[in-house]
Amino acid sequence: MTPLAAEVNENLAQISNYLVYSSMAVYTLAFLAHIAEWIFGSRSKVGRTAAALTGAKAAAAAAPAVQVRGKGGTAVLDKPKVVTRSAAGTRDVPDGPGAAGGTVNGDLYGRIAVSLTTLAFVIEAAGVVARATSVQRAPWGNMYEFSLTFSTVAVGAYLILLALKKNVRWMGLILVTTVLLDLGIATTWLYTASDQLVPALHSYWLWIHVSTAIICGAVFYIGATGTLLYLFRDSYEAKLAGGGTPGRFATSVMERLPSAATLDKFSYRINAAFFPLWTFTIIAGAIWAGDAWGRYWGWDPKEVWSFVTWVAYACYLHARATAGWKGRKAAYLALFAFACWIWNYYGVNILLNGKHSYAGV
């Protein structure tokens, strides 16, 4: 590499760092806007009663209608339709009005938060591209680069769901908070200067295997967020059904979230849709290992925990199809599966030694 090329690459690396820090600043503004969305949504009278009104309307709509037909001078009542639930124990609870609480001010701050999140995503994505250009390879050769790409893909998936008109804005505050945490850890403890990879990583499988791992992790994170909120919302609904009175804060937050049934369905669909891609990720890693090290499986810690994660998600999906393991039991399995993925990323890379311990952190 010529001195001029080296200087250009160094400048690109510095630009990447600047863009990453700039995205963190914009994410912070988005975080504050999401906080304002929740606050204004809770202060308004509409925000406090929107869920109750929605529930009353849903109950009225669900009630079987009684039609009166005139037949000469005699009124005949049609037999009402019988409404059955899809599964035993399912609660007929409507979705909440969202973080904005159905208020104008709350919705305004929510839209500002989404706009700032979009801007931060564009800036962070530009930082990832600049990092890739500076090293002239895929931008996920170490934990720092992996973390940058992971948070970028997670936010991108969230924005795609919003663009598809999915009701996921309630996730914005949690997402931005964890993205800021991820970037803070990456820039503070995981930062690694731009460098080339060890010979084993010089393969097109780097683009295939690691990119699918990042996509799966980012989407599994979104599914885990929905699962965690499902557990809270389910407890809230159960307490109401049992005649209990939740606290004021819990009521203000929980009544604006989607129903437990909706959150459960959302998480299941997310995890089920990307489980095949995680399967492909493991298969691609085995093929790459065969090319790089002459064996497809060697009980390396990264390989073992990738398989453990696969088994955990497979158990979760099987539990969803098995009577008696739906609901909270299956949700615990889903959270355990994502915990395995997190351990496979942080714990295995930092605490355990293996063939995947290249490139420092």
Side-chain angles (χ1 to χ4, degrees):
M1 180 181 297
T2 64
L4 178 60
E7 182 179 356
V8 170
N9 291 341
E10 180 62 27
N11 291 336
L12 286 172
Q14 293 178 1
I15 291 174
S16 174
N17 295 338
Y18 172 77
L19 290 172
V20 169
Y21 282 110
S22 297
S23 70
M24 293 176 66
V26 181
Y27 277 129
T28 301
L29 295 177
F31 169 81
L32 296 176
H34 275 300
I35 289 290
E37 177 187 18
W38 281 93
I39 290 176
F40 280 97
S42 66
R43 285 182 175 179
S44 169
K45 181 179 180 180
V46 177
R48 293 193 301 269
T49 59
L53 294 176
T54 304
K57 292 179 181 179
V66 178
Q67 299 178 353
V68 179
R69 294 186 292 107
K71 189 175 182 180
T74 306
V76 180
L77 299 180
D78 284 346
K79 183 178 180 180
K81 297 179 180 180
V82 178
V83 179
T84 58
R85 294 179 178 179
S86 58
T90 301
R91 303 187 190 96
D92 295 323
V93 179
D95 293 338
T103 68
V104 175
N105 284 338
D107 183 66
L108 173 62
Y109 281 102
R111 292 178 182 274
I112 292 174
V114 171
S115 299
L116 289 171
T117 302
T118 304
L119 176 60
F121 164 76
V122 172
I123 296 173
E124 185 182 8
V128 173
V129 172
R131 177 79 175 196
T133 306
S134 69
V135 294
Q136 299 180 2
R137 57 168 172 78
W140 40 74
N142 50 61
M143 289 186 67
Y144 170 73
E145 295 172 354
F146 192 101
S147 296
L148 295 186
T149 311
F150 171 82
S151 59
T152 303
V153 174
V155 176
Y158 166 73
L159 294 177
I160 289 174
L161 290 174
L162 286 177
L164 294 175
K165 307 299 182 181
K166 303 298 182 181
N167 178 25
V168 294
R169 205 168 81 184
W170 45 266
M171 189 186 297
L173 178 60
I174 299 176
L175 176 70
V176 171
T177 302
T178 50
V179 165
L180 281 171
L181 179 63
D182 174 73
L183 292 178
I185 293 174
T187 55
T188 304
W189 291 295
L190 302 179
Y191 180 77
T192 303
S194 299
D195 198 3
Q196 295 304 311
L197 300 176
V198 296
L201 295 183
H202 286 289
S203 172
Y204 59 89
W205 284 106
L206 175 66
W207 292 90
I208 299 173
H209 171 64
V210 184
S211 65
T212 54
I214 292 173
I215 293 172
C216 289
V219 177
F220 284 158
Y221 159 74
I222 291 178
T225 301
T227 301
L228 184 63
L229 291 178
Y230 155 75
L231 291 174
F232 285 111
R233 173 78 190 206
D234 183 65
S235 297
Y236 173 78
E237 292 178 5
K239 190 169 186 177
L240 288 179
T245 304
R248 182 176 179 181
F249 176 77
T251 300
S252 175
V253 174
M254 292 299 155
E255 72 179 4
R256 286 180 280 165
L257 290 175
S259 67
T262 298
L263 290 170
D264 184 44
K265 184 185 300 182
F266 168 79
S267 302
Y268 170 70
R269 288 178 174 177
I270 287 287
N271 292 326
F274 281 83
F275 177 73
L277 186 61
W278 182 248
T279 304
F280 170 78
T281 300
I282 296 177
I283 295 174
I287 296 175
W288 188 11
D291 291 341
W293 302 317
R295 51 67 170 175
Y296 296 102
W297 184 266
W299 297 102
D300 183 79
K302 178 71 70 173
E303 297 169 353
V304 171
W305 279 99
S306 294
F307 181 69
V308 170
T309 302
W310 183 90
V311 171
Y313 273 110
C315 290
Y316 162 72
L317 295 177
H318 178 71
R320 289 287 310 223
T322 303
W325 273 88
K326 295 181 180 179
R328 298 184 69 88
K329 291 181 180 179
Y332 292 138
L333 272 177
L335 291 180
F336 172 75
F338 183 69
C340 290
W341 191 94
I342 291 294
W343 166 256
N344 190 28
Y345 174 53
Y346 284 105
V348 171
N349 284 3
I350 296 175
L351 301 178
L352 302 181
N353 293 322
K355 285 186 174 294
H356 288 78
S357 301
Y358 40 65
V361 296

